[in-house]
Structure formats: C-alpha cells, structure tokens
Amino acid sequence: QVQLVESGGGVVQPGRSLRLSCAASGFTFSGYGMHWVRQAPGKGLEWVAVIWHDGGNEYYADSVKGRFTISRDNFKNTLYLQMNTLRAEDTAVYYCARGTSTFDYWGQGTLVTVSS
Amino acid sequence: DIVMTQSPDSLAVSLGERATINCKSSQSVLYSSGNKNYLAWYQQKPGQPPKLLIYWASARASGVPDRFSGSGSGTDFTLTISSLQAEDVAVYYCQQYHSTPPWTFGQGTKVEI
C-alpha cells in the first residue's frame, strides 16, 4: 500500500534552516509528481511546492519562493524540502502528498515550529 | 491566482440528515474542451491528514462512500453528504487544479453533529 512518511521537523530559531524528508513506498515513486502542503496550527491548507516526477520542474508558493527548495532522489524514493531563513509564520505541520493535479495520498505530517 | 471561498465556515447537522457545503472559485475551473471541472474535495478528520474525496468535481475517489457526492460547474460547486454519519465529523476543503501553480484551497468548512 502507498505510504508516505515525513521526518525532520522540530523547533528551530528564526533565520535558521531545516530539511524535511518524505520516504515513499508502495508505488513507483519516479512516476509521480510530489508536493509539500502545510497547515499552520488551527488553520487551513496551504500549498508550498511541487516537483515533477523526474525532477525536471519545480514550483513554489510566493510565500516561500527563494527560501525553500524542493528536491527528490528517485533512487532512494525520497522527497525533500530544504527550508532556509525560517520565519515564525512558517510554523506548521508539513505534509508531503502524491500527485500532479490532485493530492491522492498524504503523509501524516511533521511539525515545524519556528520560535526563539 | 484563483481564490476559493467556501460557505458556511461551519455547520451542525443531525445524524442521518443532509449536509451541504458550497465552494466558489474566483475564476472558472472548467476546461470546456474536455468538459471537465478541475475541482477536488478533501476531508480532514481531527489529528489526521486530508483525504481525497472527490475529483473532477463529481468523481468519487476509491473507497469513498456513495453518501458523498459532488456537483457544480464553472465557478460554483457543492459537496453533499446525503445522510450524515458520526464518522463524517471533519473539516472539508475544496481545491482547484485548473490554473496552477499555485494549487489553492478553500478555507475549510467544519461539519459537526
């Protein structure tokens, strides 16, 4: 069965960096686009970034452009999100999700808290 | 960017009764050439990630009970739960995938008993 397992979250000071990982299994990872979607505490869903199945294209929300980088390793079946220059407003649960148009499978999420 | 607006923000429905959630997009999400609306619905139960319920505005995802149905076209859409069950308590989100990036969600509608 499809599984997506995020890791790498934690508490980090403003201005610092963090890298999230999403380990995929149960499907042909290299055949699917992958997204990061975040949810601030008690708030709704915000799309963050997408990467094409082959890593050939990536797109970002304006709120993270220039600070976050999405990448993938199709040999390790793993998706990444490098987050630099973190701000308090980046505090959220970060989900990885499979799909190009809709998000048909989601991980359980990893919590990132940006606080001094 | 396409802005998605849901109504109401929350609603309380008795068990076995109908729940109706509306979603309006700031631009049409219909591709007329294929006659498809690029609109999805998700269900998020407390403490869980979202789950895809409906895509193409009205197609149920695998395993989704038939009490869930989606309708609408263009800019106005509806998610209906025909007979509310206790396990349907959740927040429901609409999402457009017509004009991306960005992929955009509605603000969510909380359904309670």
Side-chain angles (χ1 to χ4, degrees):
Chain A
Q1 71 282 17
V2 173
Q3 274 201 305
L4 299 169
V5 180
E6 302 93 339
S7 61
V11 180
V12 60
Q13 293 179 326
R16 304 298 291 266
S17 299
L18 206 60
R19 188 176 85 153
L20 306 183
S21 299
C22 169
S25 61
F27 66 102
T28 304
F29 182 68
S30 60
Y32 289 86
M34 295 293 297
H35 299 256
W36 288 98
V37 178
R38 68 184 181 184
Q39 186 169 37
K43 302 296 185 182
L45 302 170
E46 179 189 17
W47 172 78
V48 173
V50 63
I51 187 166
W52 257 222
H53 66 98
D54 58 358
N57 281 295
E58 20 181 299
Y59 298 99
Y60 299 90
D62 287 345
S63 58
V64 307
K65 202 172 295 182
R67 300 187 300 122
F68 289 12
T69 302
I70 189 172
S71 61
R72 64 191 296 158
D73 185 332
N74 283 347
F75 294 103
K76 293 184 177 180
N77 291 344
T78 303
L79 175 73
Y80 302 100
L81 185 67
Q82 178 66 44
M83 304 186 294
N84 297 332
T85 319
L86 282 160
R87 306 167 179 167
E89 55 264 36
D90 295 319
T91 294
V93 174
Y94 285 73
Y95 297 102
C96 62
R98 188 185 84 166
T100 304
S101 299
T102 59
F103 312 125
D104 60 355
Y105 286 94
W106 299 64
Q108 289 296 313
T110 187
L111 176 62
V112 174
T113 302
V114 184
S115 173
S116 54
Chain B
D1 298 355
I2 296 181
V3 176
M4 309 299 291
T5 304
Q6 293 181 226
S7 62
D9 289 334
S10 64
L11 75 160
V13 177
S14 300
L15 288 172
E17 296 299 304
R18 179 184 301 259
T20 301
I21 301 168
N22 300 302
C23 174
K24 189 175 185 68
S25 57
S26 60
Q27 304 169 38
S28 175
V29 298
L30 171 65
Y31 267 122
S32 53
S33 60
N35 199 34
K36 282 187 180 292
N37 287 282
Y38 284 53
L39 189 284
W41 289 96
Y42 298 85
Q43 174 193 62
Q44 186 177 30
K45 296 181 179 180
Q48 295 186 20
K51 171 189 172 184
L52 178 65
L53 286 181
I54 302 282
Y55 58 98
W56 299 133
S58 60
R60 272 189 297 276
S62 175
V64 174
D66 60 6
R67 64 179 180 273
F68 291 92
S69 63
S71 62
S73 185
T75 62
D76 293 280
F77 300 89
T78 300
L79 175 70
T80 301
I81 310 172
S82 60
S83 176
L84 192 77
Q85 306 299 303
E87 61 265 32
D88 301 333
V89 168
V91 179
Y92 293 84
Y93 295 92
C94 60
Q95 174 236 330
Q96 68 83 23
Y97 48 102
H98 177 278
S99 300
T100 61
W103 285 255
T104 49
F105 295 90
Q107 80 276 18
T109 295
K110 187 175 185 179
V111 174
E112 301 171 303
I113 303 293

